[in-house]
Amino acid sequence: MVSEAPQLHLVLFPLMAPGHMIPMMDIAKILVHRNVIVTVVTTPHNAARFTSIFDRYIESRFPIRLIQLQFPCEEAGVPDGFENLDMLPSLGTAV
């Protein structure tokens, strides 16, 4: 009996900044086209920026998944709802 190798599954957790999110989504696209299972972990706001990409790939039955986690704004010392570096009033707020 021949056993099949398990399908590769990668979890991508991009830094929450446009300069990281966009290339990470490009990497996810490349991987799913090569039949790698991809799970992207991000916040609801960041996930909303890529809804059309996720919807299109899920409808096409590509192996991509999305996990949304609430960002702990208070614990991070940033205003509530600020889930991406481009939402902060200044980069000094991120330090």
Side-chain angles (χ1 to χ4, degrees):
M1 177 178 226
V2 177
S3 64
E4 293 183 26
Q7 188 174 9
L8 185 60
H9 183 174
L10 298 177
V11 176
L12 305 179
F13 186 72
L15 177 67
M16 295 178 295
H20 292 258
M21 295 286 300
I22 294 167
M24 190 68 72
M25 292 309 300
D26 291 338
I27 292 169
K29 287 185 220 177
I30 292 167
L31 293 169
V32 298
H33 277 288
R34 287 170 173 70
N35 204 33
V36 173
I37 299 169
V38 174
T39 299
V40 178
V41 179
T42 191
T43 64
H45 176 78
N46 289 307
R49 292 180 177 196
F50 298 97
T51 299
S52 63
I53 293 171
F54 282 112
D55 290 347
R56 189 170 45 249
Y57 276 72
I58 290 168
E59 287 173 12
S60 299
R61 299 194 184 272
F62 283 109
I64 190 165
R65 300 171 184 154
L66 173 65
I67 295 177
Q68 298 180 47
L69 301 175
Q70 290 301 119
F71 184 73
C73 294
E74 185 176 329
E75 292 89 342
V78 297
D80 191 40
F82 284 62
E83 299 177 10
N84 196 300
L85 285 178
D86 68 354
M87 298 173 75
L88 296 175
S90 73
L91 288 179
T93 312
V95 182

